[in-house]
Amino acid sequence: MLMGGVHTGKTLFLCHFSAAYLALGKNVLYITLEMAAEEISRRIDCNLLNITFEDLEALPKDLYQSKINKLKSKTNGKLIVKEYAATSANVNHFKSLLNELNLKKNFVPDVIMIDYINLCASARLKPSSATDLYTWVKSIAEEVRGLAQQTTIPIWSATQLNRSGFSSSDPD
């Protein structure tokens, strides 16, 4: 679990780690609840190709394809990015996705990235004004941990600290 304040690079970290896993030949499932799937894929491409966003946009199609083919020859890791609307998906959706990817694409991830846990829904708790944020996120974290244990797939995620937690030397 990564912890950080607003705009501190949590997504960049998850994208960088995804690229590193792919370079090692690992299959990566990236679940995004914040950014568009295309944006996540673009960030991971830039990491893998070691170029900036601007250079990626300016790259001629034939040169881009040449770099991609060179990369494919070095690794056999596969990436799937699945986008959900914020607070619309919980671990039951993720389990269904894993089953569907296995059956339809013969894809089993070696690692899962969830960007990010605060934007997931809980499978156990229903949203209500009586549920405080700590209890809500704790429930989601427990469910995600259970998914990792059931599937034996490591899961990386991030959580956003509030202002007092970000400035504290020991955030609660």
Side-chain angles (χ1 to χ4, degrees), residues 87 89-92 120-127 135-136 139-140 143:
T87 70
N90 61 48
V91 293
N92 292 331
C120 293
S122 172
R124 296 180 301 181
L125 297 179
K126 301 299 173 218
T135 303
W136 178 258
S139 175
I140 297 166
E143 294 163 17

Side-chain angles (χ1 to χ4, degrees), residues 13-14 16 18 37 53 56 72 99 101 109 116-117 125 130 141 168:
F13 182 92
L14 291 172
H16 178 76
S18 295
F53 287 140
L56 181 65
K72 282 182 181 178
N99 287 334
L101 291 173
Y116 58 96
I117 201 165
L125 297 179
S168 173

Side-chain angles (χ1 to χ4, degrees), residues 126-133:
K126 301 299 173 218
S128 75
S129 58
T131 305
D132 65 279
L133 187 59

Side-chain angles (χ1 to χ4, degrees), residues 17 29 49 60 87 90 94 115 118 120 138-139 143 149 151:
F17 262 49
L29 173 59
L49 298 173
T87 70
N90 61 48
F94 305 155
D115 192 4
N118 298 59
C120 293
K138 180 179 181 285
S139 175
E143 294 163 17
Q149 289 174 318
T151 60

Side-chain angles (χ1 to χ4, degrees), residues 7 32-33 39 43 45 47 53 55 57 69 84-85 92-93 100 114 118 124-125 127 133 148 156:
H7 303 297
T32 177
L33 296 112
E39 181 65 19
R43 287 177 178 220
D45 284 350
N47 264 288
F53 287 140
D55 290 343
E57 294 291 325
N69 290 339
Y84 292 99
N92 292 331
H93 295 96
E100 182 180 340
I114 300 176
N118 298 59
R124 296 180 301 181
L125 297 179
L133 187 59
W156 282 93

